[in-house]
Amino acid sequence: MKFNFLKNLFLCALLLATVSVYAQKKPNIVFILSDDAGYADFGFQSDRFIKTPNIDRIANEGVKFTNAYVTAAVCAPSRGGLLTGINQAEFGNVGNFIRGVKYTIPQDSYGIPKNIKLIGDYLHPLGYKNALIGKWHEGFSKPYHPNTRGFDYFWGFLWGSSNYNPGTAQEVEENGKAIDANSIPYMTDAIGNQAIQFIEEQKENPFFIFVSFNAVHTPLQAKKEDIDKFDAQFSDKVRMKNAAMTHSLDENVGRIIAHLEKLNLLDNTILIFSNDNGGQKTTLHADNYPLRGMKGDIYEGGIRVPMAVRWPSKIKSGTVSNEIVSSLDILPTILAAAGQKSKSNPQLKGMDLVQVANIKKGKTPAERELYWYLGKQKGALRKGDWKLIVLGDAQPQLYNLKTDIGETKDVYSTQTAIAKNMLQTYRKWEGSLPPANFAPLKAAERDAD
């Protein structure tokens, strides 16, 4: 009996050790999101702005996607899509929820529907500790709070924007407890600090951290030392402040990467970088070159974004992928990295970006269709090289993005067969959508959040 007891004890200890080793081998996941930045405003995208060596490192040591999209042209619905892996129009979240605007629902009722799982909900059973640092913009009351929606730790703000300058941050909290604004440094640095702290605390366990920067979203507030770096470089002072804020963003991405490196975690961490929607040209003077349009538009400048993924053991350094990808692919990518089989989540239609990055030349995945519905009968469908745009009662537009990335030549009237087929496909999808969950009682500024 004693021998059997000792034998069983040994087997249990061996099993626990095996589980522990297995857990440690699971990759950490760090998803970094910028806010309202221009398509051309990072170094790995172009040389038209400033150098961003730390963000560029993710692309240069991994894969850069040249055909990457988000599911909406403004903040909150775009984040709803990437957090759930489902096009948010398919569960009725179409527009922004903006401070000071009255809606058809009370503030406490706003959020991603409670029956829909978010990233953290999927990762918990796989042994991950999950954190959201920074901007949330997906609900305010307890049922829609980050701590109720799969995030073990939340430090940040629930609305779509906050002040940056020290001591002026708005309604920042930590796991539901208000934080004195006087204790908060420059917001971009504060988000970087909290991300590093969470990494330090969870270094022995697999973790997922969504580093949700509000930079470079308005208000235009930059640190003096960063303004001094760029003041002489730009005659456009709005563009100058954007540069200073982008520089701070890049520095904090570098700090996060450096801490992962210090802890010997970097090579076992999948790093994902993207932006939440098209660049805000009006208030930020963002540069979306060579795209038409901006934040809020259905044109490429509103929905096409920078995207890069670094994972040394799985993605070859310096990879450039021209495949069409989407923010809907982020959740399937994370789950695949965490060890969950794709067939476990049939409601997720996205692809594993790691697999896409490793497609051999000459081979392409099945042609995919990406849909957008921005409300007020404004939407689009991309299928292969073609993009159909629907704008209310006006005649739809059709562009070949392979030859006309700037959407300058509408061929709807000449490519009639393609136009007819795509319009039928789009209308079928649009007709399947539920009514919007909320709407403003009066017109709101589209760029307020």
Side-chain angles (χ1 to χ4, degrees):
M1 291 290 291
K2 184 177 180 181
F3 173 78
N4 288 336
F5 172 76
L6 291 173
K7 180 180 177 182
N8 290 335
L9 188 63
F10 172 77
L11 290 173
C12 287
L14 182 63
L15 178 61
L16 286 171
T18 302
V19 169
S20 177
V21 170
Y22 174 74
Q24 291 169 11
K25 287 183 178 178
K26 282 178 174 283
N28 304 304
I29 304 157
V30 178
F31 173 40
I32 300 169
L33 193 69
S34 58
D35 193 341
D36 283 7
Y39 187 73
D41 284 347
F42 300 107
F44 77 96
Q45 290 288 97
S46 79
D47 59 0
R48 295 167 60 90
F49 198 29
I50 66 170
K51 294 180 179 180
T52 52
N54 299 299
I55 293 170
D56 297 352
R57 182 178 177 184
I58 298 172
N60 296 338
E61 296 180 3
V63 57
K64 167 187 172 179
F65 292 101
T66 66
N67 260 303
Y69 291 91
V70 285
T71 55
V74 292
C75 303
S78 173
R79 291 160 192 267
L82 66 86
L83 283 165
T84 63
I86 300 170
N87 190 312
Q88 68 288 336
E90 296 176 3
F91 54 77
N93 281 28
V94 175
N96 263 342
F97 203 93
I98 302 170
R99 191 193 300 265
V101 175
K102 292 186 177 181
Y103 290 89
T104 52
I105 60 171
Q107 180 178 315
D108 284 354
S109 296
Y110 163 68
I112 295 171
K114 291 176 283 187
N115 63 323
I116 296 176
K117 295 170 72 172
L118 274 61
I119 292 178
D121 299 316
Y122 286 102
L123 287 175
H124 271 148
L126 300 176
Y128 280 76
K129 288 291 185 180
N130 310 310
L132 168 65
I133 313 293
K135 174 174 172 173
W136 173 235
H137 209 184
E138 298 296 343
F140 308 96
S141 61
K142 186 174 181 179
Y144 304 105
H145 190 275
N147 291 139
T148 312
R149 304 309 302 266
F151 290 99
D152 303 287
Y153 180 76
F154 170 62
W155 187 100
F157 46 93
L158 301 176
W159 283 100
S161 63
S162 174
N163 289 330
Y164 293 83
N165 289 335
T168 67
Q170 297 166 280
E171 300 177 39
V172 176
E173 63 170 76
E174 182 178 36
N175 291 338
K177 184 178 179 180
I179 297 175
D180 182 1
N182 291 317
S183 69
I184 301 172
Y186 184 73
M187 179 55 71
T188 306
D189 292 336
I191 291 172
N193 293 344
Q194 296 303 133
I196 289 168
Q197 179 179 314
F198 184 79
I199 291 168
E200 181 68 32
E201 291 172 352
Q202 298 299 325
K203 60 188 176 185
E204 302 297 332
N205 308 299
F207 59 80
F208 164 64
I209 179 169
F210 178 12
V211 191
S212 182
F213 286 104
N214 56 322
V216 290
H217 193 293
T218 52
L220 278 165
Q221 296 174 349
K223 293 188 288 186
K224 183 181 183 305
E225 59 264 35
D226 292 336
I227 289 175
D228 291 343
K229 287 184 178 77
F230 299 102
D231 193 23
Q233 186 176 335
F234 295 90
S235 58
D236 179 344
K237 297 308 176 185
V238 171
R239 190 80 170 133
M240 178 272 293
K241 287 187 178 180
N242 187 331
M245 294 169 73
T246 300
H247 175 74
S248 179
L249 169 67
D250 185 69
E251 278 193 327
N252 279 281
V253 171
R255 291 175 59 222
I256 292 167
I257 292 174
H259 200 74
L260 289 166
E261 213 160 18
K262 176 184 174 183
L263 297 176
N264 295 317
L265 296 176
L266 183 59
D267 285 348
N268 191 40
T269 298
I270 179 169
L271 282 166
I272 305 172
F273 174 81
S274 193
N275 190 57
D276 67 340
N277 45 247
Q280 170 50 276
K281 294 169 65 174
T282 304
T283 56
L284 294 175
H285 295 190
D287 183 3
N288 291 328
Y289 178 85
L291 310 178
R292 176 181 179 180
M294 56 175 279
K295 176 183 180 179
D297 289 336
I298 197 62
Y299 295 106
E300 294 290 279
I303 57 177
R304 193 161 175 158
V305 294
M307 187 181 290
V309 181
R310 181 191 186 275
W311 194 10
S313 63
K314 302 292 183 180
I315 299 172
K316 185 178 178 181
S317 178
T319 300
V320 176
S321 173
N322 298 318
E323 302 299 334
I324 299 170
V325 297
S326 165
S327 55
L328 296 180
D329 301 328
I330 290 172
L331 178 51
T333 301
I334 287 171
L335 295 184
Q340 187 174 91
K341 296 180 180 179
S342 59
K343 292 182 180 179
S344 302
N345 305 294
Q347 71 272 35
L348 303 180
K349 308 301 183 185
M351 305 186 298
D352 178 0
L353 293 171
V354 176
Q355 290 186 1
V356 175
N358 287 297
I359 292 174
K360 293 180 180 179
K361 289 184 179 180
K363 292 187 177 181
T364 57
E367 185 176 66
R368 71 187 307 192
E369 297 174 349
L370 296 182
Y371 295 88
W372 293 268
Y373 181 71
L374 308 187
K376 298 181 180 178
Q377 295 182 296
K378 181 164 69 173
L381 163 64
R382 176 159 186 184
K383 185 175 182 180
D385 295 331
W386 296 97
K387 180 181 173 187
L388 175 83
I389 291 177
V390 176
L391 293 170
D393 296 329
Q395 177 176 287
Q397 301 169 20
L398 182 68
Y399 300 95
N400 186 316
L401 296 179
K402 185 175 183 179
T403 59
D404 182 22
I405 192 173
E407 296 170 297
T408 62
K409 187 178 180 181
D410 178 9
V411 296
Y412 185 86
S413 297
T414 56
Q415 296 287 343
T416 54
I418 294 172
K420 180 180 178 181
N421 178 268
M422 290 188 69
L423 184 59
Q424 288 177 342
T425 302
Y426 174 79
R427 290 300 190 198
K428 181 178 179 181
W429 176 77
E430 183 189 44
S432 72
L433 299 177
N437 290 332
F438 63 91
L441 292 175
K442 61 180 181 178
E445 292 291 331
R446 72 170 184 175
D447 300 319
D449 268 338

